[in-house]
Amino acid sequence: MTTVLSAPDTSELRRLSDLTPELALREAASFLAHLVGDPAFLEAHIIPLLEDAIGAEDWYVAHHYESQEGSYSLQIFVWPPGSETKIHDHTSWGAYYCTVGSVLEERYERLDDGCRLDHARLKKVWQLSWSTDDGASTVLPYDEGIHRVSNPGEEVAVSVHLYGPRRGRLDGRDYDPSRNYVCDRMEA
Ligand SMILES: [Fe+2]
């Protein structure tokens, strides 16, 4: 079940939403590093999730905290072993920090020019494993942050994500490279 986090330092988060995506990501990464380095935050919001995650098969957002005006969204993801997202992008900048276990991120770039409806050709450009010691991974909006996140390991992973303001009404897009397909995604 998704629950709403008690308020973190919202003045800091609001300030991020006024910056360019590139600058905001730098600040977001250090905001997340500070947050996941706080023992009180870990004890209150992360450790209890590990028991709840037993038996879960798919990934889920366990907590989220959103600003009323939509300028940011702070979310805690739980990744049971074997779970993975679709290949997707976001309509906002985003940064995440794996704070328990590790997740695998595959990153893609788009080879077509986007002019054909529902069509996208992707090429995988890198994959990296992220754990607490690796810092934050970041994505820019749309084609500059096409990725898949998964947990190929044997243990539950938990990550903390911070997203900036959405550009437009969509949450992002989902891709299926097996048939060169892309579609809009309305909700996370
Ligand atoms: Fe994502």
Side-chain angles (χ1 to χ4, degrees):
M1 185 180 69
T2 300
T3 58
V4 178
L5 279 175
S6 56
D9 183 350
T10 55
S11 59
E12 170 84 356
L13 293 175
R14 286 216 173 78
R15 195 178 64 74
L16 293 186
S17 70
D18 293 333
L19 303 175
T20 63
E22 290 79 5
L23 277 177
L25 281 177
R26 230 180 287 167
E27 301 275 326
S30 79
F31 175 87
L32 288 175
H34 183 74
L35 192 63
V36 304
D38 177 358
F41 176 79
L42 295 180
E43 187 147 337
H45 297 297
I46 304 295
I47 302 303
L49 299 177
L50 300 178
E51 199 168 328
D52 296 345
I54 294 171
E57 292 186 354
D58 205 1
W59 63 270
Y60 59 95
V61 177
H63 298 303
H64 67 98
Y65 183 82
E66 329 247 350
S67 70
Q68 284 184 336
E69 70 281 9
S71 59
Y72 60 84
S73 175
L74 182 66
Q75 303 181 10
I76 301 179
F77 281 64
V78 175
W79 306 93
S83 58
E84 65 175 24
T85 66
K86 295 177 181 173
I87 299 172
H88 66 278
D89 66 20
H90 301 266
T91 56
S92 62
W93 55 256
Y96 72 88
Y97 210 112
C98 192
T99 185
V100 174
S102 63
V103 293
L104 180 72
E105 179 175 11
E106 300 159 58
R107 195 67 74 92
Y108 295 83
E109 69 180 22
R110 195 163 173 168
L111 300 177
D112 65 300
D113 61 8
C115 69
R116 278 177 60 190
L117 188 66
D118 301 337
H119 175 89
R121 276 200 309 128
L122 298 184
K123 177 182 153 194
K124 186 170 169 180
V125 287
W126 54 256
Q127 70 173 42
L128 283 172
S129 181
W130 296 95
S131 59
T132 303
D133 293 340
D134 299 314
S137 178
T138 59
V139 290
L140 286 165
Y142 290 112
D143 293 357
E144 292 180 271
I146 302 171
H147 68 169
R148 186 209 303 272
V149 180
S150 63
N151 177 7
E154 304 281 316
E155 306 289 336
V156 170
V158 180
S159 55
V160 183
H161 299 231
L162 179 61
Y163 300 98
R166 286 181 184 174
R167 295 184 182 174
R169 65 193 167 84
L170 296 179
D171 185 50
R173 298 173 300 195
D174 291 332
Y175 296 81
D176 180 356
S178 72
R179 52 192 181 114
N180 290 338
Y181 179 73
V182 60
C183 65
D184 293 342
R185 182 182 69 254
M186 299 302 292
E187 294 297 328

